[in-house]
Amino acid sequence: MNVVVCVKQIPDPATPGEMDSQTNTLKRDGKLIMDDSDSYGVEMGLQLAEQAGGGEVTLVSMAQDGETSGLRTALAMGAAKAILVSDPALKGSDALSTAKALSKAISRANPDLILMATESTDGYTGTTPVQVAELLGLPSVTFAKKITVDGSSIKVERQTEAGYDEVTCPLPAVVTVTAGVVEPRYPNFKGIMDAKKKPVEELTVSDLGLDVSEVGSSGSRQEVFEIVAADARQAGEKVVDEGEAHQKVIEFFEQLKLI
Amino acid sequence: MALSKIWVLTESQNSKPISISLELLTFASSLGASLEAVTWGGTASQISEELGSYGVSKVLDAGELNGSLPGSPVASAMKQAIDAGNGPDVILIGTTYDGRDIAGRLSAKLDVPVITNVTGLEISGDSLVASHSIFGGTQIAKSRFTSSKSPQIFLVRAKTFQAEPSNSTTCGVESLPVPEIGNSGAAKIVATHVEELTGPKLDEADVVVSGGRGLGEKDNYALVEELAKLLHGAPGASRAIVDAGWVPYSYQVGQTGKTVKPTVYVACGISGATQHLVGMKNAKNIIAINKDADAPIFSVADLGIVGDVHKVLPKLIEALKSRS
Ligand SMILES: Cc1cc2nc3c(=O)[nH]c(=O)nc-3n(C[C@H](O)[C@H](O)[C@H](O)COP(=O)(O)OP(=O)(O)OC[C@H]3O[C@@H](n4cnc5c(N)ncnc54)[C@H](O)[C@@H]3O)c2cc1C
Ligand SMILES: Nc1ncnc2c1ncn2[C@@H]1O[C@H](COP(=O)(O)O)[C@@H](O)[C@H]1O
């Protein structure tokens, strides 16, 4: 069972984001880390390959400037190798352009299963995975909270508004996993050392057979043209509880005629 | 050229259109274009009258789908109609599980991008400008399509508009045939599990009481449920406790969960991370209970209680009980 897991490398979400006032896009300089949302896919991919008793996990990522620091984290968890799409022409790619680049890179690894996150932390369009599936002509199951492999097909518990659906799907397929489906392992020292030697194949847009006009800011046909401050919400009264603060809440409810 | 036709993807649940679909229809019908609803799942004839009261002139019905997940078949049906010259200028889709799948599939099929996470839409000349709430709602980004290629697809978050019937018309149902889709539509639903829900739905409730990691352990979530019940509201949650498995995902409020806009939102032991704030910041009133006086949730709270949820919540519950 060969699994491709897409890993997005993003600026550390713990540091406040900043917009580039020239391009109205998120600034992406500095060291990138693996998007936490993708760590669940990496763990799930490793577990499924282990359960299948063979096969490996290949990571696929698209990032500028040959960035690999986030990929190394996933390699240290146990992925075998990585494919990185990196090209200055990719700057400003929207979800569909990203999906074009990712799908070309994914097909090189010839996987049985492609795992992605339901949405990324910094872009959160949630559309890239399904676009990838469509470009590859594959079925997709989004919002998986459980995946079981059964020969050449999978059974997925898919989150719904009212509970969950059991979905069956032939392989290969694209599946997106929600956070919390599995407990991502921490890379150990050996894993971290091994990760340094694992192969990362770096590809440009033309290596993938894509035209630069299809990706990056030239391929993205949408723009953010303005950023304005939102109406700030004023903080109201703050009360330190000394045993009676619940009365304040009661009064608040009374004012609103809720009780 | 003004907008001449709009499609709104309309989902139903228990044979009723869901509220986000009605919200989008309300906005769309104000634009003066011809309004059509795209739907599936075998309920078209049951919902057409209600859709007519929202100004829908025609329901395009992709049918039962034979157990397939809707993403691929519904997008293929839409594409076929668009290729035949019957497409709209604008397609509005709500951010739901199936809505995102359909939008992504259709975008790749037509090679047109999608503008996602829309929290506001306005007409400007002949096209639409979208607003997006960023950085936990402190700033608003405005975006638009730069190509004139249609249709323009927008994925809109719940509660962006308020649903209200208007421009009532007679509404007919027309079939939207699904072409042969082959492998891309091979994911099939074999069983459906419905979790029991008492009280109002989270995204429609007038009062929402949410709990976070500050509750300490799973069993303490009962306090949140009890308070919600006493206020005839719905219980919600931060992602931290959903990930920890204390409550199902459908309880989650925030960027990856539900957007709520109740009269009162009560946050219990929730820090107020930006991803949580975007889902509840537009509540009319916010009450926060948190033992850390510097918790970010207090910056949006109309009433902030700096205190221990294990002390404040039981007293609050007692006080409410003794009144009734
Ligand atoms: C891509 C992405 C999407 C996300 N989407 C969402 C989302 O949709 N919704 C969401 O909620 N989060 C989301 N998050 C997670 C978010 O960043 C936070 O991690 C999460 O909201 C924190 O949950 P919490 O407030 O319950 O926990 P914590 O941040 O751990 O906060 C617990 C709070 O409880 C307080 N506390 C502790 N003990 C007590 C006590 N005894 N009494 C009172 N207060 C106490 C603490 O002071 C603290 O403020 C997302 C994150 C990412 C990366
Ligand atoms: N640049 C990228 N590199 C690798 N994976 C990506 C990239 N962009 C998106 N993805 C994958 O697609 C998912 C959804 O992304 P998004 O559409 O941005 O919400 C992410 O969580 C990743 O799994």
Side-chain angles (χ1 to χ4, degrees), chain A residues 46-241:
Chain A
L46 291 169
Q47 287 186 13
L48 292 176
E50 278 156 23
Q51 281 159 21
E56 57 186 23
V57 171
T58 303
L59 309 169
V60 169
S61 187
M62 178 185 115
Q64 291 163 43
D65 307 326
E67 183 65 55
T68 58
S69 48
L71 284 173
R72 293 289 169 203
T73 308
L75 290 169
M77 286 173 71
K81 58 185 196 295
I83 301 175
L84 173 68
V85 183
S86 194
D87 196 312
L90 293 168
K91 195 174 163 60
S93 290
D94 65 5
L96 184 55
S97 312
T98 304
K100 287 177 186 173
L102 291 176
S103 57
K104 293 276 186 196
I106 290 166
S107 53
R108 291 179 157 241
N110 208 12
D112 303 302
L113 175 66
I114 298 129
L115 295 178
M116 299 169 78
T118 50
E119 59 182 20
S120 64
T121 297
D122 62 341
Y124 55 96
T125 85
T127 54
T128 311
V130 194
Q131 288 166 331
V132 164
E134 181 63 31
L135 293 167
L136 292 171
L138 294 179
S140 54
V141 186
T142 51
F143 283 91
K145 42 179 221 163
K146 189 170 175 204
I147 306 175
T148 340
V149 179
D150 180 9
S152 60
S153 71
I154 45 172
K155 195 179 218 175
V156 176
E157 287 183 7
R158 179 185 193 240
Q159 181 72 46
T160 62
E161 204 55 51
Y164 67 95
D165 284 345
E166 277 171 50
V167 177
T168 58
C169 182
L171 294 174
V174 174
V175 179
T176 72
V177 294
T178 56
V181 274
V182 281
E183 188 63 48
R185 66 193 71 182
Y186 282 106
N188 57 24
F189 181 72
K190 183 172 180 303
I192 294 168
M193 295 314 288
D194 288 352
K196 297 188 173 151
K197 292 172 293 206
K198 288 180 176 170
V200 178
E201 184 186 9
E202 200 175 316
L203 300 170
T204 63
V205 168
S206 63
D207 290 337
L208 294 173
L210 283 171
D211 194 278
V212 287
S213 67
E214 291 179 80
V215 295
S217 28
S218 45
S220 113
R221 287 153 289 170
Q222 50 179 284
E223 63 169 0
V224 172
F225 64 93
E226 194 181 31
I227 291 175
V228 294
D231 293 340
R233 203 183 167 110
Q234 294 296 323
E237 191 185 0
K238 201 147 110 183
V239 185
V240 177
D241 179 43

Side-chain angles (χ1 to χ4, degrees), chain B residues 213 238-239 252-256 271 275-276 290 308-309:
Chain B
R213 190 147 37 198
S238 73
R239 173 160 145 182
Q252 185 173 317
V253 172
Q255 179 184 306
T256 357
S271 61
Q275 296 95 346
H276 189 80
N290 194 304
D308 186 340
V309 285

Side-chain angles (χ1 to χ4, degrees), chain B residues 107-302:
Chain B
S107 144
K109 280 178 193 295
L110 299 172
D111 194 27
V112 298
V114 189
I115 290 188
T116 53
N117 284 304
V118 174
T119 52
L121 268 178
E122 59 199 347
I123 189 109
S124 157
D126 296 339
S127 57
L128 290 174
V129 165
S131 307
H132 311 265
S133 189
I134 58 171
F135 299 139
T138 55
Q139 292 183 52
I140 294 171
K142 299 208 165 190
S143 73
R144 63 188 167 208
F145 288 102
T146 52
S147 139
S148 58
K149 195 166 169 185
S150 68
Q152 302 193 333
I153 310 174
F154 295 90
L155 259 175
V156 185
R157 297 201 54 118
K159 301 283 141 98
T160 296
F161 306 104
Q162 202 175 345
E164 225 169 282
S166 60
N167 302 325
S168 190
T169 51
T170 42
C171 174
V173 178
E174 204 171 275
S175 152
L176 186 70
V178 178
E180 188 49 55
I181 45 174
N183 189 41
S184 69
K188 300 271 181 196
I189 301 168
V190 292
T192 293
H193 298 261
V194 176
E195 279 149 13
E196 212 45 62
L197 185 72
T198 53
K201 281 174 69 180
L202 176 56
D203 48 1
E204 290 168 10
D206 203 35
V207 177
V208 173
V209 183
S210 283
R213 190 147 37 198
L215 291 169
E217 56 182 284
K218 183 177 177 172
D219 288 349
N220 292 334
Y221 189 77
L223 293 170
V224 167
E225 281 176 319
E226 193 168 5
L227 181 57
K229 203 166 171 195
L230 285 166
L231 297 166
H232 309 290
S238 73
R239 173 160 145 182
I241 71 166
V242 171
D243 286 358
W246 296 4
V247 293
Y249 175 77
S250 52
Y251 283 48
Q252 185 173 317
V253 172
Q255 179 184 306
T256 357
K258 300 237 161 52
T259 306
V260 298
K261 223 177 196 174
T263 305
V264 186
Y265 187 86
V266 188
C268 310
I270 292 179
S271 61
T274 57
Q275 296 95 346
H276 189 80
L277 295 184
V278 291
M280 43 65 75
K281 188 181 96 69
N282 289 322
K284 286 191 203 77
N285 298 281
I286 297 172
I287 301 176
I289 307 169
N290 194 304
K291 71 174 184 191
D292 173 9
D294 298 323
I297 190 78
F298 287 128
S299 68
V300 298
D302 302 285

